[in-house]
Amino acid sequence: MSFSSSTQQYLASVNGTSSPATSFSSTAFGGAAVSSRAAPTINLDEEIKLTTNNRERAQMDNMADLYSIIVVLEHLEMAYIRSAITHTQYTPACGQLISQFKTASSLLGDVVPDLEKFMKEYNLDCPAAVKRIKIGVPATVEFGGGVSNEANGHRTAKYVAETVQSYITVMDALKLGMAAVDEIHPLLADLMQSLNNVRSLPADFEGRAKVREWLIKLNGMRASEVLDADEKRQLEFDLEVNYTAFRGWLDSQ
């Protein structure tokens, strides 16, 4: 069967192709159209690269380290809560993980500005680890633990003296102009530990809660950051008030 040129042009306009004869023969009378475009091939054995340079690779590795530290810390906290490990095993391991977290976070800089956003993005559900990271000290330092509760006058006097010394040390440091986070945080952690060692101190002693608040605040800042004048003055005031309250409790014993 042959067609005139005008008929072929008409069929070309209907099919939207530049080759009317080909278009007609491929679709006419129920024929299936055959695409001339080759289907892309996928190599399932080919490695998918997540990074394109060494800097991106290092960043990805640091994020993986951060992820693993959070997961391990969560398991450590739950093991301690369930008494699967002792306080002597828990305390150094927790302190090391907290230090590793701070180091990994500092390497990432602005890439991971917020811990909770990072965890949400990667579907991490580790509430115990988040709490421990925010406070920045092991639970044995925050709440006490592993200290013998024996009614020994010499031991009690020793812990009381350590607490007084811790209060004086941190207050003197502030008066001498120390205001950097990495200078104040360790002193407050020592003070918290000393307070918890005094087993006869009331559980609702306000000084303990106030020190915990400052630990959380400082732990949320970078180590190189410095307290401004108002923050430094408020910390000095809180410590003076709490030290006076501690001395008042001693006098009442």
Side-chain angles (χ1 to χ4, degrees):
M1 183 183 294
S2 61
F3 296 93
S4 64
S5 61
S6 61
T7 302
Q8 291 179 350
Q9 291 175 358
Y10 170 75
L11 291 173
S13 65
V14 171
N15 288 315
T17 65
S18 59
S19 179
T22 303
S23 299
F24 179 76
S25 62
S26 63
T27 58
F29 307 109
V34 179
S35 174
S36 60
R37 182 179 300 174
T41 59
I42 300 176
N43 184 3
L44 298 179
D45 295 326
E46 182 181 357
E47 180 182 359
I48 299 176
K49 294 184 178 181
L50 300 177
T51 60
T52 58
N53 54 55
N54 291 336
R55 182 179 180 182
E56 291 180 357
R57 176 62 183 270
Q59 178 178 302
M60 190 67 66
D61 288 343
N62 290 333
M63 292 176 69
D65 291 338
L66 193 68
Y67 185 101
S68 62
I69 290 170
I70 295 171
V71 173
V72 172
L73 183 56
E74 177 74 13
H75 286 291
L76 181 67
E77 289 293 305
M78 298 311 298
Y80 181 66
I81 291 172
R82 294 165 182 163
S83 299
I85 56 176
T86 65
H87 70 277
T88 55
Q89 295 172 315
Y90 164 81
T91 303
C94 183
Q96 182 179 6
L97 285 171
I98 291 173
S99 297
Q100 290 173 334
F101 174 85
K102 292 179 179 179
T103 302
S105 298
S106 64
L107 292 175
L108 288 168
D110 296 333
V111 178
V112 184
D114 185 85
L115 172 61
E116 293 183 357
K117 288 183 179 179
F118 173 80
M119 295 180 63
K120 184 177 181 181
E121 181 177 357
Y122 293 99
N123 298 318
L124 268 175
D125 184 21
C126 302
V130 172
K131 179 181 179 182
R132 189 57 45 219
I133 289 170
K134 285 185 175 180
I135 295 175
V137 294
T140 48
V141 176
E142 180 186 4
F143 301 110
V147 178
S148 175
N149 197 24
E150 58 187 277
N152 186 300
H154 175 71
R155 183 174 293 273
T156 300
K158 173 177 177 290
Y159 292 144
V160 168
E162 288 178 351
T163 303
V164 171
Q165 181 179 355
S166 294
Y167 265 116
I168 294 175
T169 299
V170 66
M171 288 190 295
D172 285 348
L174 292 169
K175 292 176 181 177
L176 290 172
M178 295 174 62
V181 172
D182 59 353
E183 295 174 333
I184 303 301
H185 189 280
L187 299 179
L188 287 177
D190 289 343
L191 175 58
M192 175 64 81
Q193 179 70 73
S194 297
L195 287 169
N196 288 324
N197 286 342
V198 183
R199 311 298 284 180
S200 55
L201 191 66
D204 59 350
F205 178 65
E206 186 178 356
R208 186 186 286 111
K210 187 60 66 174
V211 173
R212 185 182 298 114
E213 289 177 10
W214 276 103
L215 282 172
I216 295 174
K217 178 180 178 63
L218 293 177
N219 201 56
M221 302 167 65
R222 297 188 182 279
S224 58
E225 290 187 65
V226 177
L227 296 176
D228 60 32
D230 290 340
E231 292 171 330
K232 184 170 175 289
R233 184 173 181 178
Q234 184 63 51
L235 177 55
E236 289 177 344
F237 175 78
D238 289 342
L239 289 171
E240 290 284 355
V241 170
N242 294 331
Y243 178 60
T244 301
F246 182 76
R247 293 294 299 269
W249 171 80
L250 285 177
D251 293 339
S252 66
Q253 299 304 298

